[in-house]
Amino acid sequence: MMTREKQVRASYAGGCLTVAIVGEVDHHSARPLREEIDRQLYLYRPKEFRLSLARVNFMDSSGLGLILGRLALCRELSCPMRLTDVSERAARLFRMAGLARAEGLCIEEDVKKENA
């Protein structure tokens, strides 16, 4: 299912909600992305939440805010959050921002891209 100007792809199976963001995460796109992701989280109340960044081609500080806000919501819902397909550049940014140490968050780097 693609929604919000084709920027969010969501699927739910086996208690896991997977959301893939497509395109840019910046000041202009962060709010509609947040609203749609939150809608999906409240709708499914998953046991696990996976946020795929494989198709994100740009992310500014609004992206960090988006991730931190979803992490807070996942904590409220007692649902661990996993960032998947994270580029090396984004992973470095997340480490500098302290996200790598955040409780309830796992960051999986996309090693296929880095070695290709």
Side-chain angles (χ1 to χ4, degrees), residues 5-20:
E5 298 163 13
K6 300 186 178 183
Q7 280 198 287
V8 174
R9 291 185 178 168
S11 63
Y12 180 78
C16 179
L17 174 64
T18 301
V19 172

Side-chain angles (χ1 to χ4, degrees), residues 27-89:
H27 173 73
H28 299 289
S29 64
R31 183 176 181 181
L33 287 170
R34 173 182 49 84
E35 290 171 353
E36 180 58 22
I37 293 168
D38 287 358
R39 189 181 76 72
Q40 296 288 329
L41 283 166
Y42 282 120
L43 176 67
Y44 292 107
R45 297 192 178 263
K47 294 177 185 164
E48 181 181 19
F49 174 55
R50 294 176 183 240
L51 183 61
S52 173
L53 304 179
R55 300 196 52 203
V56 173
N57 52 30
F58 174 81
M59 180 184 294
D60 65 11
S61 61
S62 299
L64 286 174
L66 176 81
I67 291 167
L68 286 171
R70 292 336 90 221
L71 178 58
L73 178 55
C74 284
R75 286 178 179 156
E76 284 180 31
L77 298 173
S78 299
C79 160
M81 180 175 171
R82 183 177 302 268
L83 296 179
T84 64
D85 308 308
V86 177
S87 71
E88 182 180 337
R89 182 177 177 187

